[in-house]
Amino acid sequence: MTAPSRPLIVLFGSSIVQFSFSNGGWGAILADIYARKADIILRGYAGWNTRRAVQVLDKIFPKDALVQPSLIIVYFGGNDSIGPCPSGLGPHVPLPEYKENMRRIATHVKNLSEKTRAIFLSCPPLNEEWLRKSTSSAVSEIVRTNETCRLYSEACKEVCREMNLKVIDLWTAIQQRDDWDEACFTDGLHFSSEGSKIVVEQILKVIKEADWSPSLYWKSMPTEFAEDSDYDLVAADGISTLNPSDWTFHREIQWD
Protein backbone atom coordinates (compact mmCIF):
# COMPACT_ATOMS: atom_id res chain seq x y z
CA MET A 1 0.00 0.00 0.00
CA THR A 2 1.33 3.43 -0.87
CA ALA A 3 1.36 6.29 1.60
CA PRO A 4 -1.95 8.16 1.71
CA SER A 5 -2.08 11.42 -0.20
CA ARG A 6 -4.71 12.96 2.03
CA PRO A 7 -3.73 14.66 5.31
CA LEU A 8 -4.50 12.63 8.43
CA ILE A 9 -6.58 14.06 11.25
CA VAL A 10 -6.53 11.87 14.37
CA LEU A 11 -9.08 12.10 17.20
CA PHE A 12 -7.41 10.83 20.39
CA GLY A 13 -9.07 10.50 23.76
CA SER A 14 -11.54 8.69 25.96
CA SER A 15 -15.22 7.85 25.41
CA ILE A 16 -16.11 11.36 24.22
CA VAL A 17 -13.81 10.52 21.32
CA GLN A 18 -14.69 6.82 20.92
CA PHE A 19 -18.41 7.61 20.78
CA SER A 20 -17.97 10.58 18.46
CA PHE A 21 -19.18 8.65 15.41
CA SER A 22 -22.47 7.69 17.10
CA ASN A 23 -25.71 9.63 17.44
CA GLY A 24 -24.73 12.37 14.99
CA GLY A 25 -21.44 12.76 16.81
CA TRP A 26 -18.77 15.37 16.23
CA GLY A 27 -16.31 12.87 14.75
CA ALA A 28 -18.82 11.80 12.13
CA ILE A 29 -19.62 15.42 11.31
CA LEU A 30 -15.93 16.20 10.84
CA ALA A 31 -15.54 13.13 8.62
CA ASP A 32 -18.35 14.45 6.41
CA ILE A 33 -16.94 17.99 6.30
CA TYR A 34 -13.47 16.71 5.39
CA ALA A 35 -14.69 14.13 2.87
CA ARG A 36 -12.20 13.90 -0.04
CA LYS A 37 -9.95 16.38 1.76
CA ALA A 38 -8.52 14.55 4.80
CA ASP A 39 -8.92 11.20 6.50
CA ILE A 40 -10.41 11.33 10.00
CA ILE A 41 -8.93 8.56 12.11
CA LEU A 42 -10.55 7.51 15.38
CA ARG A 43 -8.33 6.61 18.34
CA GLY A 44 -10.88 6.73 21.14
CA TYR A 45 -10.68 4.56 24.27
CA ALA A 46 -13.73 4.56 26.54
CA GLY A 47 -12.93 4.75 30.24
CA TRP A 48 -9.33 5.83 29.77
CA ASN A 49 -7.51 8.40 31.82
CA THR A 50 -4.23 10.16 31.08
CA ARG A 51 -2.20 7.46 32.90
CA ARG A 52 -3.25 4.90 30.33
CA ALA A 53 -2.81 7.34 27.47
CA VAL A 54 0.83 8.11 28.25
CA GLN A 55 1.61 4.39 28.48
CA VAL A 56 0.74 3.82 24.82
CA LEU A 57 1.74 7.08 23.15
CA ASP A 58 4.57 5.42 21.23
CA LYS A 59 2.23 2.71 19.96
CA ILE A 60 -0.56 5.02 18.87
CA PHE A 61 1.76 7.71 17.51
CA PRO A 62 5.10 6.05 16.64
CA LYS A 63 7.79 8.62 16.00
CA ASP A 64 9.20 6.62 13.08
CA ALA A 65 5.91 6.36 11.16
CA LEU A 66 6.30 7.04 7.44
CA VAL A 67 3.37 9.43 7.51
CA GLN A 68 2.57 11.59 10.53
CA PRO A 69 -0.80 13.19 11.28
CA SER A 70 -1.39 16.71 10.10
CA LEU A 71 -3.67 17.37 13.06
CA ILE A 72 -4.34 15.58 16.35
CA ILE A 73 -7.40 16.53 18.41
CA VAL A 74 -6.93 15.41 22.03
CA TYR A 75 -9.46 14.98 24.82
CA PHE A 76 -8.74 13.61 28.28
CA GLY A 77 -9.91 14.76 31.67
CA GLY A 78 -13.42 13.55 32.40
CA ASN A 79 -12.31 10.19 33.77
CA ASP A 80 -9.30 11.66 35.53
CA SER A 81 -11.67 14.00 37.39
CA ILE A 82 -13.74 11.17 38.90
CA GLY A 83 -13.38 11.04 42.68
CA PRO A 84 -10.86 8.55 44.11
CA CYS A 85 -11.94 5.08 45.26
CA PRO A 86 -10.76 3.99 48.74
CA SER A 87 -9.22 0.83 47.21
CA GLY A 88 -6.97 2.89 44.95
CA LEU A 89 -8.59 1.35 41.87
CA GLY A 90 -10.40 3.34 39.25
CA PRO A 91 -9.69 6.13 36.79
CA HIS A 92 -9.05 9.02 39.20
CA VAL A 93 -5.84 10.94 38.54
CA PRO A 94 -4.87 13.76 40.94
CA LEU A 95 -4.84 17.21 39.36
CA PRO A 96 -1.04 17.77 39.47
CA GLU A 97 -0.42 14.38 37.82
CA TYR A 98 -3.13 15.05 35.25
CA LYS A 99 -1.35 18.25 34.25
CA GLU A 100 1.99 16.48 33.96
CA ASN A 101 0.45 13.69 31.88
CA MET A 102 -1.13 16.25 29.57
CA ARG A 103 2.28 17.89 29.16
CA ARG A 104 3.73 14.51 28.19
CA ILE A 105 0.97 13.92 25.65
CA ALA A 106 1.41 17.40 24.22
CA THR A 107 5.19 17.07 24.00
CA HIS A 108 4.93 13.74 22.20
CA VAL A 109 2.39 15.07 19.72
CA LYS A 110 4.32 18.27 19.02
CA ASN A 111 7.51 16.33 18.32
CA LEU A 112 6.03 13.95 15.74
CA SER A 113 6.85 16.32 12.88
CA GLU A 114 7.23 19.99 12.09
CA LYS A 115 3.86 19.93 10.35
CA THR A 116 1.87 18.08 13.02
CA ARG A 117 -0.64 20.41 14.67
CA ALA A 118 -2.69 19.81 17.81
CA ILE A 119 -5.93 21.02 19.34
CA PHE A 120 -6.83 20.09 22.91
CA LEU A 121 -10.42 19.91 24.18
CA SER A 122 -10.97 20.81 27.81
CA CYS A 123 -13.33 18.94 30.12
CA PRO A 124 -16.97 19.84 29.39
CA PRO A 125 -19.69 20.23 32.02
CA LEU A 126 -22.17 17.45 32.74
CA ASN A 127 -25.73 16.91 33.89
CA GLU A 128 -25.12 15.37 37.31
CA GLU A 129 -28.72 14.20 37.83
CA TRP A 130 -28.91 12.49 34.43
CA LEU A 131 -25.55 10.88 34.97
CA ARG A 132 -26.58 9.42 38.33
CA LYS A 133 -29.74 7.96 36.78
CA SER A 134 -27.94 6.52 33.75
CA THR A 135 -25.03 4.91 35.60
CA SER A 136 -25.25 1.11 35.68
CA SER A 137 -25.75 -0.62 39.03
CA ALA A 138 -22.81 -2.84 38.12
CA VAL A 139 -20.50 0.14 38.67
CA SER A 140 -19.54 1.35 42.14
CA GLU A 141 -20.60 4.85 43.13
CA ILE A 142 -19.00 7.39 40.79
CA VAL A 143 -18.27 10.77 42.29
CA ARG A 144 -18.35 13.06 39.29
CA THR A 145 -19.29 16.71 39.67
CA ASN A 146 -19.34 19.86 37.62
CA GLU A 147 -16.93 21.48 40.04
CA THR A 148 -14.25 18.84 39.44
CA CYS A 149 -14.93 19.07 35.69
CA ARG A 150 -14.30 22.81 35.92
CA LEU A 151 -11.01 22.28 37.77
CA TYR A 152 -9.73 19.79 35.19
CA SER A 153 -10.89 22.03 32.37
CA GLU A 154 -8.89 24.90 33.85
CA ALA A 155 -5.87 22.61 34.25
CA CYS A 156 -6.02 21.58 30.58
CA LYS A 157 -6.21 25.22 29.52
CA GLU A 158 -3.28 26.11 31.78
CA VAL A 159 -1.07 23.42 30.24
CA CYS A 160 -1.97 24.56 26.73
CA ARG A 161 -1.16 28.17 27.58
CA GLU A 162 2.22 27.07 28.96
CA MET A 163 3.01 25.12 25.81
CA ASN A 164 1.50 27.54 23.29
CA LEU A 165 -1.08 25.01 22.10
CA LYS A 166 -4.55 25.50 20.69
CA VAL A 167 -7.23 24.66 23.25
CA ILE A 168 -11.02 24.72 23.12
CA ASP A 169 -12.77 25.57 26.36
CA LEU A 170 -15.66 23.12 26.20
CA TRP A 171 -16.62 23.90 29.79
CA THR A 172 -17.62 27.40 28.66
CA ALA A 173 -18.70 26.67 25.09
CA ILE A 174 -21.31 24.06 25.99
CA GLN A 175 -22.87 26.31 28.64
CA GLN A 176 -23.45 29.14 26.16
CA ARG A 177 -26.68 27.37 25.24
CA ASP A 178 -29.46 28.05 27.76
CA ASP A 179 -30.75 24.47 27.76
CA TRP A 180 -27.29 22.88 27.59
CA ASP A 181 -27.85 20.49 30.49
CA GLU A 182 -30.76 18.80 28.69
CA ALA A 183 -30.00 19.34 25.00
CA CYS A 184 -26.28 18.55 24.81
CA PHE A 185 -26.05 15.03 26.28
CA THR A 186 -27.41 11.55 25.71
CA ASP A 187 -26.82 10.41 29.28
CA GLY A 188 -25.64 13.46 31.17
CA LEU A 189 -22.05 12.99 30.03
CA HIS A 190 -21.65 12.00 26.38
CA PHE A 191 -22.63 14.41 23.65
CA SER A 192 -25.91 14.33 21.79
CA SER A 193 -26.04 15.58 18.23
CA GLU A 194 -26.74 19.07 19.59
CA GLY A 195 -23.72 18.97 21.87
CA SER A 196 -21.58 17.63 19.04
CA LYS A 197 -22.56 20.55 16.82
CA ILE A 198 -21.08 22.92 19.39
CA VAL A 199 -17.85 20.90 19.46
CA VAL A 200 -17.58 20.98 15.66
CA GLU A 201 -18.30 24.69 15.52
CA GLN A 202 -15.49 25.37 17.98
CA ILE A 203 -13.01 23.07 16.21
CA LEU A 204 -13.69 24.64 12.80
CA LYS A 205 -13.30 28.13 14.28
CA VAL A 206 -9.87 27.29 15.69
CA ILE A 207 -8.72 25.66 12.44
CA LYS A 208 -9.98 28.55 10.31
CA GLU A 209 -8.22 31.15 12.46
CA ALA A 210 -4.96 29.21 12.91
CA ASP A 211 -1.87 30.53 11.17
CA TRP A 212 -0.85 27.10 9.90
CA SER A 213 0.94 26.33 6.66
CA PRO A 214 -0.45 24.45 4.91
CA SER A 215 -3.90 25.46 6.07
CA LEU A 216 -6.12 22.69 7.46
CA TYR A 217 -9.28 24.74 7.04
CA TRP A 218 -11.53 22.52 4.97
CA LYS A 219 -12.52 25.19 2.44
CA SER A 220 -8.85 25.90 1.73
CA MET A 221 -7.90 22.28 1.13
CA PRO A 222 -7.93 20.60 -2.28
CA THR A 223 -10.66 18.09 -3.05
CA GLU A 224 -9.34 14.71 -4.18
CA PHE A 225 -9.99 13.87 -7.88
CA ALA A 226 -12.07 17.03 -8.36
CA GLU A 227 -11.41 17.49 -12.07
CA ASP A 228 -14.34 17.72 -14.48
CA SER A 229 -15.31 14.53 -16.24
CA ASP A 230 -17.50 13.45 -19.13
CA TYR A 231 -18.89 10.90 -16.69
CA ASP A 232 -20.36 13.57 -14.39
CA LEU A 233 -24.09 14.26 -14.39
CA VAL A 234 -25.31 15.88 -17.59
CA ALA A 235 -26.54 19.46 -17.17
CA ALA A 236 -29.94 20.69 -18.30
CA ASP A 237 -28.46 22.01 -21.54
CA GLY A 238 -27.60 18.44 -22.51
CA ILE A 239 -24.11 19.33 -23.70
CA SER A 240 -22.19 20.00 -20.49
CA THR A 241 -21.69 18.21 -17.19
CA LEU A 242 -22.03 19.16 -13.54
CA ASN A 243 -19.11 18.44 -11.22
CA PRO A 244 -20.47 17.28 -7.83
CA SER A 245 -17.10 17.08 -6.06
CA ASP A 246 -17.77 19.93 -3.63
CA TRP A 247 -21.53 19.74 -3.29
CA THR A 248 -22.77 20.19 0.29
CA PHE A 249 -26.53 20.34 -0.19
CA HIS A 250 -26.97 17.15 1.83
CA ARG A 251 -25.77 18.79 5.06
CA GLU A 252 -28.25 19.90 7.66
CA ILE A 253 -25.85 22.70 8.56
CA GLN A 254 -23.78 24.56 5.98
CA TRP A 255 -20.58 24.73 8.01
CA ASP A 256 -18.13 27.58 7.67
Side-chain angles (χ1 to χ4, degrees):
M1 179 179 291
T2 59
S5 59
R6 298 182 189 179
L8 306 180
I9 299 177
V10 182
L11 315 182
F12 177 47
S14 53
S15 57
I16 282 190
V17 173
Q18 182 174 328
F19 301 164
S20 69
F21 274 69
S22 298
N23 304 311
W26 60 275
I29 296 173
L30 286 176
D32 175 55
I33 292 172
Y34 279 89
R36 296 175 66 171
K37 294 176 181 289
D39 287 335
I40 308 294
I41 299 175
L42 189 64
R43 292 294 181 268
Y45 303 90
W48 277 34
N49 57 17
T50 54
R51 283 180 183 165
R52 296 192 72 177
V54 297
Q55 291 173 353
V56 297
L57 280 174
D58 287 321
K59 294 181 179 179
I60 297 175
F61 301 109
K63 293 180 180 179
D64 59 352
L66 294 177
V67 178
Q68 293 292 0
S70 294
L71 173 63
I72 301 173
I73 300 176
V74 181
Y75 170 75
F76 286 102
N79 295 315
D80 298 66
S81 74
I82 292 175
C85 181
S87 68
L89 298 173
H92 173 72
V93 174
L95 202 57
E97 183 187 346
Y98 167 74
K99 291 167 68 175
E100 183 55 33
N101 289 342
M102 291 295 276
R103 290 187 189 99
R104 291 176 63 184
I105 293 170
T107 298
H108 186 92
V109 166
K110 287 179 67 175
N111 290 336
L112 289 175
S113 80
E114 292 182 357
K115 295 295 185 181
T116 298
R117 315 299 182 183
I119 298 173
F120 282 71
L121 309 179
S122 81
C123 195
L126 49 82
N127 183 319
E128 294 180 25
E129 182 180 358
W130 278 20
L131 186 59
R132 282 192 295 270
K133 291 179 179 179
S134 66
T135 300
S136 169
S137 60
V139 180
S140 64
E141 181 183 5
I142 296 177
V143 180
R144 199 166 196 165
T145 69
N146 266 318
E147 176 57 18
T148 55
C149 288
R150 183 187 68 79
L151 292 173
Y152 281 73
S153 175
E154 289 298 319
C156 175
K157 289 159 56 183
E158 181 182 336
V159 169
C160 290
R161 284 193 297 267
E162 288 175 8
M163 303 185 68
N164 194 29
L165 290 164
K166 305 290 185 185
V167 61
I168 293 172
D169 181 359
L170 287 184
W171 167 263
T172 299
I174 293 295
Q175 294 185 77
Q176 295 306 299
R177 179 166 172 159
D178 290 339
D179 60 347
W180 67 269
D181 56 339
E182 295 185 355
C184 292
F185 307 106
T186 59
D187 55 7
L189 170 64
H190 301 104
F191 291 127
S192 65
S193 60
E194 292 301 306
S196 284
K197 290 171 186 175
I198 297 173
V199 179
V200 171
E201 182 181 26
Q202 294 297 312
I203 290 172
L204 294 180
K205 182 176 185 291
V206 169
I207 294 174
K208 182 179 180 180
E209 295 176 355
D211 184 22
W212 291 338
S213 181
S215 173
L216 296 175
Y217 176 48
W218 69 279
K219 289 186 177 180
S220 300
M221 299 174 71
T223 300
E224 188 176 61
F225 304 128
E227 63 276 2
D228 293 335
S229 170
D230 290 343
Y231 302 119
D232 286 336
L233 295 172
V234 179
D237 61 14
I239 59 173
S240 61
T241 57
L242 301 173
N243 188 330
S245 299
D246 291 312
W247 286 357
T248 62
F249 68 88
H250 65 284
R251 293 178 184 158
E252 182 183 61
I253 297 175
Q254 292 299 309
W255 299 97
D256 187 22

